[in-house]
Amino acid sequence: MLELLGLDATAEAVYRGMLADPEGGVAELCDRLGLPEAAVRAALDRLADLTLLRTSRERPGTLRPVSPERGLEILLRRQEEELARRQQELAASKAAVARALGEYAKVRTDTPVGDHERLLGLDAIQDKLEVLTARLTTEVLAVMPGGAQSAASLAASRPLDEDALRRGVSLRTIYQESIHDAPETLDYARWMSGLGGEVRTAPVLPPRMLVFDRSTAVLPIDPENTRAGALCTREPGIVASLVALFEQTWETAVPITDDPDGAPPLTLTTGERELLRLLSTGLTDDAAAKRLGVSVRTVRRQMAVLMERLDAASRFEAGLKTARRGWL
């Protein structure tokens, strides 16, 4: 009954036994409680430590139990004193941590400033993503441009995505359409879709972004070099703009197919249509490839296939026939 106050069952039984027979000795307590002498003497030591036993004035040299009212008051006071001591230690620990963080901030380059935090290096980004994923409650919005994702990036994302999906978090991801030429990334997208995530593709995407619970966003500091670091922001205006951009892109994106073979379409794919549109604006193959997240070689191969389908001898002729068919 009194274990929460620091009195174990044996000590409480001995205390009760002494209250019932204040003049009884160790032998009497052993007989009455059915306990070995060692256990009784250990319990007496514990009671003395808790000041629940006092020297008797009537029988010098013996101990008597204090009254239950006084005994419980003593136990409660000891608990209060212990709690106050722990609170003091906690306050001192918090102060020490604050000082340490202050010193640490002087040497860190990714220290938060207001609603923004610069994450420099892949390790810092991964650490922050793990923290944000663990705190997720509703959804993640992700834009993944560039076609093929690195094996390291996919490996780091898999446990985070799996944990979020199993917790019922909604994951909506938009990949660049060129992942159809990247088997590992395509397999990952299908794996995520199989676990309940929603995956779509689009030929052209805005810069990479992750939005957590529509309250925190992570995006690259330099979209051309993701290794340069990322910005983690909780600025409502920025996050709302990114969410709106995501939703606009999502509406025009195409759900990923579950058919690995994917029979050739009878009309243009969205990727082919976008390629023709980009080239029709005067972009070079290099520039179009960069926008589509594919290699120049892929752009030229796709154009060769389109010219063959259109029975066109030149790109100019292909453009005319494309316009006549209403493909643009």
Side-chain angles (χ1 to χ4, degrees), residues 227-284:
R227 290 180 174 273
L231 175 69
C232 178
T233 180
R234 290 169 292 279
E235 176 63 43
I238 295 176
V239 175
S241 297
L242 292 174
V243 170
L245 178 58
F246 175 91
E247 295 293 358
Q248 291 171 1
T249 307
W250 181 263
E251 287 301 317
T252 59
V254 178
I256 194 168
T257 176
D258 291 328
D259 179 12
D261 298 324
L266 299 176
T267 58
L268 288 182
T269 66
T270 53
E272 290 171 334
R273 183 176 289 107
E274 186 62 23
L275 172 59
L276 289 172
R277 188 190 69 79
L278 292 174
L279 294 176
S280 70
T281 63
L283 287 183
T284 64

Side-chain angles (χ1 to χ4, degrees), residues 271-327:
E272 290 171 334
R273 183 176 289 107
E274 186 62 23
L275 172 59
L276 289 172
R277 188 190 69 79
L278 292 174
L279 294 176
S280 70
T281 63
L283 287 183
T284 64
D285 288 355
D286 287 347
K290 191 172 184 180
R291 289 287 302 276
L292 293 171
V294 298
S295 67
V296 177
R297 187 175 181 180
T298 298
V299 165
R300 291 171 180 164
R301 177 177 57 78
Q302 289 177 342
M303 276 307 303
V305 171
L306 285 171
M307 289 172 64
E308 183 179 352
R309 288 171 61 191
L310 291 165
D311 192 24
S314 67
R315 289 193 176 189
F316 178 76
E317 184 181 357
L320 289 176
K321 291 186 175 182
T322 297
R324 288 172 187 166
R325 295 190 182 199
W327 281 4

Side-chain angles (χ1 to χ4, degrees), residues 214-226:
R214 302 198 173 212
S215 62
T216 304
V218 178
L219 59 160
I221 294 174
D222 180 1
E224 301 297 327
N225 179 19
T226 55

